[in-house]
Amino acid sequence: MMGYGKFEVWALSVLCLALFSSGFDPIDNYLIDCGSTRNTSVGDRVFVSDNSASKFLSTPKEVLANTPLKSITSSDDSPLYQTARIFTESSKYTFPISQRGRHWIRLYFFPFVYASYDMSTAKFGVSTQNHVLLSDFGVDKASLKEFSVNVTSDSLVITFTPSSSSFAFLNAIEVVSVPDKLITDDADSVNPSENFQGLLTQALETVARVNMGGPTVSFENDTLWRTWVPDQSFLVNKNGAKNFSNIGAVKYSSGGATPDIAPKTVYGTATEMDSGDDPNSNFNVTWEFQVDLGFRYLVRFHFCDIVSKGLNMLYFNVYIDSWSVAHDLDLSTLSVNVLAVPHYMDRVTLPTVSDKLRVSIGPSNDVDGIYPNAILNGLEIMKMNNSIGSLSGSMVISSSSKKNVGVIVGVTIGVFVAVVLAVIFFLMCRKRRRMALQGHSKTWIPLSINGGNSHTVGSKYSNGTNASIASNYGYRFPFVAVQEATNNFDENWVIGIGGFGKVYKGALNDGTKVAVKRGNPRSQQGLAEFQTEIELLSQFRHRHLVSLIGYCDEKNEMILIYEYMENGTLKSHLYGSGLPSLGWKERLEICIGAARGLHYLHTGYAKAVIHRDVKSANILLDENLMAKVADFGLSKTGPEIDQTHVSTAVKGSFGYLDPEYFRRQQLTEKSDVYSFGVVLFEVLCARPVIDPTLPREMVNLAEWAMKWQKKGQLEQIIDSTLVGKIRPDSLRKFGETAEKCLADLGVDRPSVGDVLWNLEYALQLQDAVIQGEPEENSTNMIGELSPQINNVNNVDTAVSGFEMSSVDDLSGVSMSRVFSQLVKSEGR
Ligand SMILES: *[C@@H]1O[C@H](CO)[C@@H](O)[C@H](O)[C@H]1NC(C)=O
Ligand SMILES: *[C@@H]1O[C@H](CO)[C@@H](O)[C@H](O)[C@H]1NC(C)=O
Ligand SMILES: *[C@@H]1O[C@H](CO)[C@@H](O)[C@H](O)[C@H]1NC(C)=O
Ligand SMILES: *[C@@H]1O[C@H](CO)[C@@H](O)[C@H](O)[C@H]1NC(C)=O
Ligand SMILES: *[C@@H]1O[C@H](CO)[C@@H](O)[C@H](O)[C@H]1NC(C)=O
Ligand SMILES: *[C@@H]1O[C@H](CO)[C@@H](O)[C@H](O)[C@H]1NC(C)=O
């Protein structure tokens, strides 16, 4: 009996020990050693060989790479780094998911050279069904990228897409269930009045996971196989901080954190203030982390009071940047008067306006008789996906960050503007003088036949033609019809995720292919707004605008149904998707088409409609590669309206945003012209407009391209597939046009009408059919046109003399109007 009892106790304690040390048992647990023919043990886990895992992968071409052991240095000695898989074309892993919910995705990269593949030069994107994890990504050293996503379907598809003329690679991959309780739905935002909700659907990327005051905690000592790194390298001032360690003191207790939140080895060490025995010392201990601009971050603080000798002896403050996230924090009050109980605290930041994020702790001043101290035991910083579901690439700035950016940009631009203004003033004086000198040979007559300003001309036109369209606005679809068309919003039919919501492909009863945009359900007020937008949208019919077929507002839904565009986005044809690259004439024709669409938005209606988010991802191509502008649904009509809506969020995408718009927060058509100028350079160079992986001076395409354009050496940076294929004159005209679009002041930018002309001209220069070609030094066609205009009474004669290929395609904008604009913009 005794013996049996003893055995029982022994078995129980072994069981407890086993439970405790193995911790969480993941239901989904895929570990793959890519490119390897053997199973590889890493700690207590086995990464299976690529052969055994091949059923998960679909790739057009099998390239397995292995490296001789000697090329692996001691610091990068993971056995997973000895082999890799290379993807020359878009390839995907499909993992069946047994239990929906949050999963880790860990990607292991270790670049080495295999045959003709130098993996340190690889550039590629990685995405899941709902989120972009990496785009135009490259690595030059061993690197582990950790993401966590909430999988809401029965499979997780991870797609690797090489950037144009590059390839992708991967050394190992993990897809592992995360305990449900690890990330909860809400957290306080750093702005104290807000409570952030929606963390459950958020994709997260681990930016930092730090063990304060202690050594690296390796994945083998973490129940969820996480690695925690020491904080030394993040400390801003090492002198103000010291280590403290007492791992044995840590007591997990209900109401506090669990070992899954963070292990004892993390809670049992801390970095504390080093007051140097001065009872009056008062300073912060600060850590600084590199982050990406425009994203929100989830910051998780880990606390455990292992330093105090008794209760209520430590009061301190916690900050993220200059925001206070906890004031006079007394850890001993968080659990029923027990010291050394682990606790954690989540905070969501506002979208970042700087590429540094600082976390600080400092002593409380408000509590008398307490020795100044402050501690932090652990810290995790996780990047949150932006409103388009991406953890990478173009970023959307929301109104809340507008002010800060405004100030920073404002100050920088302010100085710049003063200089620019001075230069303009100088140039204008010079020009006046020159014009006065030339006065005898050149009379500057306004050509606006209709007279008045552009708005009155525009409204005359639209009253005449648009009325009939306006009266039959939109078709209202029953919700069931939309369900039917999209196979009940089949996740596999999702073709895109936009600011508005998801986009599904679909087919109507009669076989018409459609793109269905489903907005997140909104309040009554949102619906009213939605209806106004539809009314506006449905009035726009143009060959170069993606047209609205109908809408559905049943059940608080906000669904827009558009014509389907076979060839997807212009962006996908430029880079990142492996599609064949476009020729120069095709690109010019696409730019011309898009310019026509924008021109119509700006001038085809009584009030100019400003697109606000012109970018290559919003220019779609039909089956004949004809360009159509999309997503003008969120446009607001011209300046008049915008002034009454001062609170309107700054909308647009990083890299395309008009600097003047930031500064004055006033929207004009010229903001679209700026963005379109960036698109022009993007088309020419076939690279992302912001690429943080490039050397600093190359990150921003607009800046980089302008630098070469100003040097007159634009040909140095063009898409390699275009080298030797663009006629120098055509390239020069194109470069000059893009340059003018990027002028710092809106007034100095051409109208889209002017841009259109210049692009047509660049196309003709490529064809080189122009007879008696005028001298090509001028930066604007007006220089060549004006004399001719003055010599003929009929404007159209001058136009046909120039063989403008589709003058009538300006959609009713009379040529005289275009000319009057040209003349006006030049006459300023
Ligand atoms: C690797 O492990 C898997 C699953 O445990 C097993 O099915 C397979 O036979 C092993 N492969 C090799 C080469 O040992
Ligand atoms: C995943 O998201 C769904 C909502 O889409 C939510 O109901 C569920 O609780 C989430 N699961 C986890 C583990 O976050
Ligand atoms: C604190 O601990 C870290 C990690 O163990 C160590 O690198 C560092 O030198 C320690 N700092 C001090 C001041 O002891
Ligand atoms: C795990 O932590 C213990 C100390 O708690 C340490 O002795 C051991 O080396 C650690 N293991 C690894 C793999 O880091
Ligand atoms: C600590 O940092 C916060 C936030 O930047 C700041 O407001 C506070 O004044 C700092 N405290 C000390 C003592 O420097
Ligand atoms: C992150 O992406 C999801 C879509 O998967 C979206 O619902 C959510 O709003 C995005 N988060 C933010 C902060 O925009």
Side-chain angles (χ1 to χ4, degrees):
M1 282 296 271
M2 276 286 279
Y4 188 60
K6 248 186 194 155
F7 173 75
E8 214 171 44
V9 171
W10 176 81
L12 201 69
S13 55
V14 166
L15 196 70
C16 286
L17 209 71
L19 274 180
F20 190 77
S21 58
S22 70
F24 175 68
D25 184 18
I27 291 181
D28 293 307
N29 193 17
Y30 297 102
L31 310 173
I32 300 175
D33 185 3
C34 304
S36 173
T37 51
R38 284 185 315 224
N39 290 346
T40 306
S41 290
V42 179
D44 56 357
R45 300 198 293 172
V46 177
F47 282 68
V48 301
S49 78
D50 222 340
N51 296 344
S52 321
S54 60
K55 58 180 177 291
F56 302 122
L57 177 65
S58 90
T59 182
K61 190 175 171 198
E62 295 272 327
V63 187
L64 305 183
N66 54 65
T67 178
L69 260 176
K70 60 175 163 21
S71 76
I72 294 196
T73 62
S74 57
S75 62
D76 302 321
D77 57 359
S78 169
L80 297 172
Y81 290 155
Q82 294 181 18
T83 59
R85 214 178 225 289
I86 285 168
F87 305 116
T88 55
E89 283 169 66
S90 183
S91 305
K92 58 188 177 192
Y93 283 97
T94 305
F95 297 105
I97 295 299
S98 313
Q99 191 177 63
R100 298 180 184 193
R102 192 165 285 276
H103 287 66
W104 301 117
I105 299 175
R106 294 195 179 105
L107 306 174
Y108 294 77
F109 299 105
F110 178 73
F112 57 84
V113 181
Y114 171 76
S116 61
Y117 302 100
D118 178 356
M119 294 177 214
S120 63
T121 67
K123 279 264 184 308
F124 53 98
V126 181
S127 57
T128 67
Q129 294 105 310
N130 299 319
H131 296 103
V132 175
L133 304 181
L134 298 167
S135 59
D136 260 287
F137 173 74
V139 272
D140 58 4
K141 58 177 187 296
S143 167
L144 167 59
K145 288 273 169 192
E146 182 186 276
F147 304 90
S148 77
V149 298
N150 180 348
V151 183
T152 52
S153 53
D154 292 332
S155 63
L156 173 63
V157 182
I158 302 174
T159 309
F160 288 77
T161 312
S163 303
S164 65
S165 67
S166 190
F167 61 94
F169 78 99
L170 180 66
N171 299 72
I173 181 170
E174 282 183 34
V175 171
V176 178
S177 301
V178 172
D180 285 349
K181 291 195 197 94
L182 194 70
I183 305 284
T184 49
D185 195 46
D186 51 353
D188 283 339
S189 160
V190 287
N191 190 341
S193 61
E194 276 180 22
N195 174 270
F196 185 92
Q197 287 183 335
L199 282 174
L200 287 185
T201 55
Q202 205 67 44
L204 301 171
E205 176 184 350
T206 308
V207 174
R209 178 174 290 132
V210 188
N211 177 25
M212 304 295 170
T216 299
V217 173
S218 89
F219 59 90
E220 290 150 295
N221 270 350
D222 182 292
T223 55
L224 304 179
W225 302 280
R226 294 164 297 197
T227 299
W228 304 72
V229 302
D231 65 324
Q232 297 295 312
S233 60
F234 303 106
L235 271 172
V236 172
N237 180 4
K238 291 193 180 65
N239 295 331
K242 62 182 183 193
N243 291 343
F244 191 92
S245 173
N246 189 357
I247 295 172
V250 178
K251 288 190 273 301
Y252 289 104
S253 159
S254 64
T258 63
D260 283 345
I261 299 291
K264 259 190 174 180
T265 40
V266 169
Y267 283 117
T269 65
T271 291
E272 63 175 337
M273 195 179 155
D274 187 357
S275 59
D277 292 331
D278 175 2
N280 295 318
S281 55
N282 183 18
F283 58 84
N284 289 332
V285 177
T286 300
W287 296 264
E288 187 176 85
F289 301 88
Q290 194 72 33
V291 292
D292 286 334
L293 224 54
F295 285 90
R296 283 177 183 268
Y297 288 81
L298 170 61
V299 180
R300 175 169 285 185
F301 297 86
H302 296 277
F303 295 111
C304 182
D305 187 355
I306 48 174
V307 302
S308 294
K309 304 270 185 305
L311 300 175
N312 314 111
M313 290 184 69
L314 172 66
Y315 291 84
F316 62 102
N317 302 326
V318 184
Y319 309 90
I320 295 176
D321 293 330
S322 58
W323 297 91
S324 168
V325 299
H327 190 68
D328 295 344
L329 184 63
D330 176 3
L331 296 171
S332 63
T333 60
L334 297 180
S335 39
V336 207
N337 293 340
V338 190
L339 272 178
V341 173
H343 286 281
Y344 71 100
M345 183 171 91
D346 284 344
R347 289 291 184 274
V348 170
T349 70
L350 298 175
T352 43
V353 293
S354 150
D355 62 354
K356 302 272 193 309
L357 190 144
R358 283 179 165 221
V359 166
S360 308
I361 52 171
S364 168
N365 300 323
D366 306 343
V367 186
D368 289 335
I370 296 293
Y371 196 80
N373 197 6
I375 66 165
L376 184 59
N377 305 64
L379 185 74
E380 289 171 277
I381 300 181
M382 291 163 267
K383 189 187 200 179
M384 295 165 55
N385 69 259
N386 63 18
S387 60
I388 55 169
S390 176
L391 282 162
S392 176
S394 76
M395 295 152 260
V396 177
I397 290 228
S398 77
S399 57
S400 42
S401 66
K402 186 170 62 178
K403 282 207 188 85
N404 294 342
V405 176
V407 171
I408 299 164
V409 176
V411 171
T412 336
I413 291 181
V415 176
F416 187 57
V417 164
V419 175
V420 170
L421 282 176
V423 170
I424 290 172
F425 182 72
F426 172 75
L427 288 179
M428 267 169 59
C429 292
R430 236 180 39 171
K431 188 170 188 175
R432 286 243 172 78
R433 223 176 49 217
R434 210 179 57 212
M435 273 166 61
L437 290 175
Q438 293 174 337
H440 59 280
S441 63
K442 207 177 186 183
T443 336
W444 207 264
I445 48 162
L447 276 156
S448 171
I449 291 165
N450 294 333
N453 65 36
S454 57
H455 278 299
T456 55
V457 177
S459 60
K460 260 183 207 158
Y461 164 69
S462 65
N463 286 349
T465 338
N466 274 350
S468 59
I469 301 169
S471 59
N472 77 11
Y473 97 76
Y475 299 93
R476 194 170 173 186
F477 280 67
F479 185 65
V480 285
V482 186
Q483 274 182 310
E484 206 175 300
T486 57
N487 199 20
N488 200 12
F489 300 102
D490 192 336
E491 287 294 308
N492 294 321
W493 292 25
V494 171
I495 49 176
I497 300 174
F500 184 75
K502 279 184 187 163
V503 188
Y504 301 81
K505 72 173 181 225
L508 301 181
N509 271 339
D510 63 358
T512 312
K513 280 189 178 175
V514 289
V516 176
K517 263 194 185 179
R518 187 187 196 186
N520 311 319
R522 274 217 212 141
S523 59
Q524 218 46 41
Q525 199 193 343
L527 273 176
E529 240 173 70
F530 176 61
Q531 278 150 357
T532 324
E533 293 261 284
I534 297 166
E535 207 166 328
L536 178 78
L537 279 181
S538 49
Q539 295 177 40
F540 285 95
R541 301 269 162 207
H542 188 272
R543 225 149 67 88
H544 293 286
L545 296 181
V546 175
S547 49
L548 185 70
I549 294 177
Y551 69 100
C552 168
D553 58 0
E554 259 176 54
K555 304 182 176 177
N556 275 13
E557 288 280 352
M558 298 200 298
I559 296 171
L560 295 169
I561 299 153
Y562 287 97
E563 60 176 318
Y564 183 73
M565 298 292 284
E566 203 75 57
N567 270 311
T569 67
L570 166 59
K571 185 177 181 177
S572 69
H573 290 264
L574 294 175
Y575 51 81
S577 64
L579 291 170
S581 66
L582 300 165
W584 181 235
K585 278 183 69 176
E586 279 170 313
R587 294 188 203 200
L588 279 173
E589 267 152 10
I590 288 165
C591 293
I592 289 168
R596 288 207 177 107
L598 282 179
H599 183 64
Y600 178 74
L601 279 181
H602 287 181
T603 60
Y605 185 57
K607 289 196 190 89
V609 169
I610 299 162
H611 188 293
R612 307 212 297 170
D613 200 8
V614 174
K615 56 182 178 183
S616 60
N618 276 340
I619 296 171
L620 304 184
L621 305 176
D622 73 7
E623 68 276 16
N624 302 316
L625 290 181
M626 187 170 86
K628 299 192 184 205
V629 176
D631 235 354
F632 47 95
L634 302 149
S635 322
K636 293 271 181 288
T637 43
E640 296 97 315
I641 285 196
D642 204 58
Q643 270 156 17
T644 64
H645 287 77
V646 193
S647 64
T648 310
V650 174
K651 192 181 162 292
S653 303
F654 251 118
Y656 295 94
L657 273 181
D658 170 11
E660 200 187 36
Y661 174 26
F662 255 131
R663 193 166 43 82
R664 298 174 52 196
Q665 287 170 25
Q666 197 188 30
L667 206 56
T668 72
E669 298 95 298
K670 295 299 179 69
S671 302
D672 282 353
V673 172
Y674 183 94
S675 308
F676 191 68
V678 180
V679 171
L680 293 181
F681 278 131
E682 201 183 353
V683 163
L684 183 66
C685 305
R687 54 151 280 191
V689 295
I690 297 282
D691 187 347
T693 62
L694 292 172
R696 198 169 192 84
E697 77 275 16
M698 297 175 66
V699 168
N700 184 317
L701 171 62
E703 273 171 35
W704 177 239
M706 282 295 268
K707 190 173 145 189
W708 290 92
Q709 166 64 17
K710 291 208 166 106
K711 277 200 272 186
Q713 296 179 4
L714 197 55
E715 71 279 4
Q716 302 283 336
I717 59 162
I718 67 174
D719 183 359
S720 57
T721 65
L722 292 176
V723 169
K725 300 199 175 124
I726 309 181
R727 284 175 165 260
D729 281 347
S730 179
L731 178 59
R732 190 162 71 228
K733 174 58 51 189
F734 189 89
E736 282 166 358
T737 309
E739 179 182 11
K740 290 196 140 202
C741 292
L742 297 192
D744 280 285
L745 296 179
V747 294
D748 294 324
R749 295 174 206 149
S751 70
V752 174
D754 297 7
V755 174
L756 177 51
W757 278 73
N758 282 286
L759 291 175
E760 297 250 30
Y761 194 51
L763 179 61
Q764 294 193 4
L765 289 170
Q766 181 69 14
D767 282 337
V769 292
I770 295 186
Q771 312 247 307
E773 185 179 325
E775 207 184 294
E776 249 303 282
N777 294 330
S778 153
T779 54
N780 191 311
M781 277 176 65
I782 193 68
E784 297 102 43
L785 281 171
S786 312
Q788 299 184 38
I789 293 165
N790 290 336
N791 292 340
V792 287
N793 292 328
N794 187 338
V795 172
D796 287 332
T797 317
V799 174
S800 61
F802 248 85
E803 294 183 17
M804 299 313 293
S805 55
S806 37
V807 167
D808 58 345
D809 207 47
L810 291 173
S811 300
V813 180
S814 69
M815 290 322 299
S816 57
R817 169 145 153 54
V818 173
F819 274 113
S820 75
Q821 274 209 347
L822 281 168
V823 172
K824 266 196 304 187
S825 67
E826 183 66 8
R828 278 199 179 100

